[in-house]
Amino acid sequence: MANMLHLSSKRAAFFVGTIMYALAFSFVTVSGRPATFVQDFRVTWSDSHIRQIDGGTAIQLTLDRNSGCGFASKNQYLFGSFSVKIKLIPGDSAGTVTAFYMNSDTNYVRDELDFEFLGNRSGQPTTVQTNVYVNGKGSREQRINLWFDPSIGFHTYTVRWTQENIIYYVDDVPIRVFKNNEAIGIPYPKRQPMGVFSTLWNADDWATRGGLEKIDWSKAPFYTYYKDFDVDGCVVPGPAACASNPNNWWEGPNYRGLTPLEARKYHWVRANHMIYDYCTDRSRFPVAPPECLAGI
């Protein structure tokens, strides 16, 4: 059984050249096949509100008065890189939430890595909220106002999850880094495999201005579009050696932290576009959480 699944073709050439090297480490690589919704994902709720387009390589999610909808990957993964191109709801989307996230699906002890795109009134910037759950504990919200209109075209959103860190990217801009600080007693998600999930739903009790702005149902239905799924990680169940293999590309020396250019982009976006950071919210945390003091 293959222990790594490569759902986009962008790395196909690399793996053609290195397949014999990979086999020497006793694992098989599946590469070069573009993801299609029916092969690689499943509907988790309201299949009538999810429509395949472009031969199944892209999908449309719908939210109306009756329902939102959601989907998930058929596999779970332990470490890797997970991305998708999304075009968000245009115009007045207040009260809606589009979520793209990793989840261990283990209830009260779940691990989860979130992108949540919070709807807005027309003309206002779109806010993306990230969160990190470890062993069922979250409350690590950070919010960034996007510096572009994400409803005009597709943009790439990526979670890169390694033994060393978790990095959230918007296109090629890292907006959040959560480091593995287990050495000083800070929990880090590394034991539970996670699936890839996405939902479009009514969250007007909290999503826009703390719930003050409600969904304008006269603007419904609302649509979000997805394409170019790229899931590159160790499938679980699968050979146990995959997750700890130092030759996985995402564990390589170039991915153990931010490059100098990425670091500049990271500091730029957080200096100019961050609007909330749980680390500095003394009303919630009179003493900063330990990961904030350790550096994230």
Side-chain angles (χ1 to χ4, degrees):
M1 178 184 291
N3 68 323
M4 293 204 306
L5 181 61
H6 299 271
L7 301 183
S8 75
S9 59
K10 69 180 182 180
R11 297 188 181 91
F14 173 81
F15 281 99
V16 168
T18 59
I19 186 66
M20 295 308 296
Y21 179 82
L23 289 171
F25 285 87
S26 299
F27 60 87
V28 179
T29 301
V30 178
S31 62
R33 178 176 62 78
T36 63
F37 185 77
V38 69
Q39 288 177 288
D40 302 300
F41 296 90
R42 58 185 173 85
V43 175
T44 53
W45 58 293
S46 195
D47 57 359
S48 64
H49 284 57
I50 296 180
R51 183 170 70 94
Q52 297 182 54
I53 53 180
D54 295 336
T57 60
I59 57 171
Q60 171 191 280
L61 272 60
T62 302
L63 169 66
D64 57 26
R65 283 185 177 273
N66 296 316
S67 184
C69 55
F71 66 89
S73 61
K74 292 180 178 179
N75 290 315
Q76 287 190 312
Y77 306 87
L78 192 59
F79 305 118
S81 179
F82 310 89
S83 69
V84 66
K85 291 181 180 176
I86 304 175
K87 183 165 67 171
L88 294 173
I89 299 166
D92 187 344
S93 59
T96 69
V97 169
T98 300
F100 168 61
Y101 59 104
M102 308 287 296
N103 189 298
S104 63
D105 202 19
T106 47
N107 296 324
Y108 299 109
V109 294
R110 79 184 189 276
D111 292 341
E112 184 171 302
L113 310 174
D114 294 334
F115 272 111
E116 292 181 306
F117 303 93
L118 311 184
N120 66 323
R121 288 294 181 215
S122 297
Q124 299 299 312
T126 296
T127 300
V128 57
Q129 174 172 283
T130 61
N131 205 347
V132 176
Y133 283 78
V134 187
N135 297 327
K137 182 182 181 302
S139 299
R140 298 181 176 95
E141 300 92 347
Q142 294 182 351
R143 292 185 176 186
I144 298 285
N145 278 344
L146 294 176
W147 51 98
F148 54 85
D149 184 344
S151 70
I152 291 177
F154 285 91
H155 291 267
T156 303
Y157 304 95
T158 303
V159 176
R160 194 172 75 216
W161 172 32
T162 76
Q163 299 270 3
E164 302 263 346
N165 53 50
I166 299 158
I167 304 179
Y168 295 75
Y169 288 88
V170 174
D171 293 324
D172 62 350
V173 179
I175 64 168
R176 182 170 190 170
V177 178
F178 188 88
K179 294 181 180 178
N180 184 342
N181 283 306
E182 281 191 314
I184 55 175
I186 297 170
Y188 185 80
K190 70 175 190 180
R191 294 174 179 84
Q192 300 190 90
M194 291 190 265
V196 181
F197 291 78
S198 191
T199 55
L200 172 59
W201 53 294
N202 174 3
D204 68 4
D205 59 334
W206 67 271
T208 307
R209 294 185 60 215
L212 294 177
E213 302 281 359
K214 303 299 184 181
I215 291 179
D216 181 354
W217 289 110
S218 70
K219 303 293 196 301
F222 302 99
Y223 301 113
T224 299
Y225 297 89
Y226 295 70
K227 69 175 184 177
D228 294 352
F229 298 96
D230 188 353
V231 177
D232 206 355
C234 290
V235 176
V236 177
C242 180
S244 59
N245 193 319
N247 296 296
N248 294 328
W249 71 262
W250 55 83
E251 300 290 358
N254 293 334
Y255 300 97
R256 291 175 184 164
L258 301 179
T259 67
L261 176 58
E262 287 179 333
R264 290 195 295 272
K265 292 178 178 180
Y266 173 79
H267 291 299
W268 170 81
V269 76
R270 293 173 71 85
N272 293 283
H273 296 281
M274 174 169 274
I275 61 171
Y276 178 79
D277 183 0
Y278 77 106
C279 285
T280 59
D281 188 343
R282 291 296 170 262
S283 64
R284 292 177 64 197
F285 303 102
V287 177
E291 65 268 19
C292 300
L293 301 175
I296 55 176

